[in-house]
């Protein structure tokens, strides 16, 4: 039989992860919100009363969920053999603030840089005379370690470089052309930076406090959690200088851990 993979998105809330009423957990104000990942984050699909009216099924997956997926995919529930689904917040993003300057949205890290990179590629225009190869790589699974079959730690980038180099180099290319191409390549690991929080300014190092409207942030870390070095940051500084783009510097406090990017992994 022929099988195919399909993308699907249900544009409505279908599951709810209810939290405990505040009067049953008054310690949350003093001790913070704590939950057990096994027992406290189970999503609710329907109530028992409503489900009792449904036709019983011994399917691997919940029949109501299969019906919703089948409707979105314009197929029969029995045509769906398996799936990988993710729960996301369905509340739409909005522009807000008195001056409409704020983006109220989940997952800005790293949808924002993904959007900017794509816009940059589109704005490049005609590249027919370009001698270099421009590549934008967007990876899944950073928050779970990037070690999936298509995460940043997978061989996908090396495979892409090898295949593109082989295609452009032809049959007469040197045996080390892929390695040379890698060494001559330049990687920009674009991520989000945290501006100083007005209520928690002590969380930032006193001499490295990124501010709103003050320019792009170059982040550095002595533990190599970022891809920034004097060599990798120099081209960015030169471009910024030529284009009059303001830059800011950031490094985390010595007594605090920083986030990380996939740059060092690649």
């Amino acid at each position: 039989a022929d099988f195919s993979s399909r993308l699907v998105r249900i544009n409505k809330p279908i599951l709810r992860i209810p939290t405990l009423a505040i009067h049953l957990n008054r310690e949350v104000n003093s001790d913070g919100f704590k939950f057990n990942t096994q027992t406290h984050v189970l999503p609710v699909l329907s109530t028992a009363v409503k489900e009792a009216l449904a036709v019983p099924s011994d399917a691997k997956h919940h029949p109501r969920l299969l019906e919703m997926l089948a409707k979105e995919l314009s197929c029969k529930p029995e045509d769906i053999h398996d799936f990988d689904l993710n729960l996301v917040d369905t509340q739409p993003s909005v522009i807000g603030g008195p001056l409409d300057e704020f983006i109220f949205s989940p997952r800005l890290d790293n949808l924002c840089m993904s959007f900017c990179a794509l816009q940059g590629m589109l704005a490049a225009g005609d590249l027919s005379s370009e001698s270099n190869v421009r590549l934008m790589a967007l990876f899944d699974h950073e928050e779970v370690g990037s070690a999936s079959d298509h995460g940043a730690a997978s061989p996908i980038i090396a495979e892409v470089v090898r295949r593109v180099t082989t295609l452009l180099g032809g049959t007469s290319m040197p045996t080390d052309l892929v390695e040379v191409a890698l060494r001559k390549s330049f990687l920009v690991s674009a991520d989000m930076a945290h501006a100083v929080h007005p209520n928690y300014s002590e969380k930032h190092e006193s001499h490295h406090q990124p501010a709103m409207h003050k320019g792009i942030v170059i982040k550095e870390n002595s533990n190599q959690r970022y891809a920034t070095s004097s060599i990798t940051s120099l081209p960015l500084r030169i471009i910024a200088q030529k284009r009059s783009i303001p830059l800011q510097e950031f490094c985390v406090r010595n007594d605090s851990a920083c986030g990380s990017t996939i740059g060092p992994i690649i």
Side-chain angles (χ1 to χ4, degrees):
D2 294 329
F3 296 95
S4 63
S5 297
R6 300 276 300 277
L7 295 176
V8 63
R9 178 183 179 183
I10 299 177
N11 288 311
K12 61 172 289 186
I14 62 171
L15 297 168
R16 173 78 176 183
I17 301 178
T19 56
L20 188 62
I22 185 67
H23 59 275
L24 297 179
N25 184 23
R26 297 188 181 279
E27 294 79 13
V28 70
N29 289 326
S30 57
D31 300 338
F33 177 59
K34 300 177 182 179
F35 58 93
N36 183 289
T37 54
Q38 172 65 25
T39 59
H40 295 164
V41 292
L42 299 177
V44 176
L45 183 64
S46 63
T47 63
V49 174
K50 286 288 187 179
E51 190 55 34
L53 302 176
V55 178
S57 173
D58 58 355
K60 175 182 177 181
H61 302 292
H62 198 290
R64 302 292 79 77
L65 180 59
L66 286 174
E67 290 174 1
M68 297 192 69
L69 292 173
K71 182 179 180 180
E72 292 291 331
L73 294 169
S74 299
C75 68
K76 299 177 181 178
E78 55 267 27
D79 293 334
I80 301 174
H81 293 271
D82 214 337
F83 50 74
D84 293 315
L85 295 177
N86 293 292
L87 297 182
V88 298
D89 186 2
T90 57
Q91 182 171 324
S93 304
V94 297
I95 302 296
L99 302 177
D100 287 334
E101 59 180 327
F102 300 126
I103 303 175
F104 300 115
S105 173
R107 299 179 293 279
L108 282 176
D109 182 7
N110 198 20
L111 290 178
C112 186
M113 291 298 98
S114 300
F115 173 80
C116 291
L118 179 59
Q119 291 300 304
M121 294 284 280
L122 295 174
D126 183 15
L127 299 177
S128 59
S129 59
E130 175 64 67
S131 59
N132 298 311
V133 175
R134 304 187 186 189
L135 172 66
M136 179 181 67
L138 311 177
F139 293 97
D140 288 333
H141 305 149
E142 179 187 4
E143 302 304 327
V144 292
S146 298
S148 66
D149 61 341
H150 52 285
S154 71
I156 188 170
I157 280 291
E159 292 174 356
V160 169
V161 172
R162 175 181 56 79
R163 296 177 68 176
V164 171
T165 305
T166 301
L167 178 63
L168 297 178
T171 57
S172 59
M173 74 174 194
T175 56
D176 63 343
L177 184 58
V178 174
E179 289 76 13
V180 172
L182 283 171
R183 290 303 173 185
K184 288 186 175 181
S185 298
F186 183 76
L187 168 70
V188 176
S189 178
D191 206 342
M192 300 293 283
H194 293 283
V196 173
H197 196 301
N199 299 335
Y200 301 93
S201 59
E202 72 279 2
K203 293 296 184 179
H204 279 73
E205 206 278 326
S206 59
H207 298 291
H208 299 86
Q209 298 193 345
M212 294 284 194
H213 308 298
K214 296 297 184 180
I216 296 174
V217 178
I218 294 180
K219 299 190 289 187
E220 301 186 40
N221 183 256
S222 59
N223 292 322
Q224 305 301 307
R225 300 298 297 273
Y226 304 132
T228 310
S229 68
S230 59
I231 296 176
T232 60
S233 64
L234 181 59
L236 297 179
R237 299 180 193 277
I238 293 175
I239 294 173
Q241 185 179 36
K242 288 183 176 180
R243 297 291 183 176
S244 299
I245 300 173
L247 295 178
Q248 302 183 79
E249 307 281 346
F250 170 78
C251 66
V252 73
R253 287 171 53 107
N254 290 328
D255 58 356
S256 176
C258 71
S260 62
T261 69
I262 60 175
I265 298 176
I266 299 176

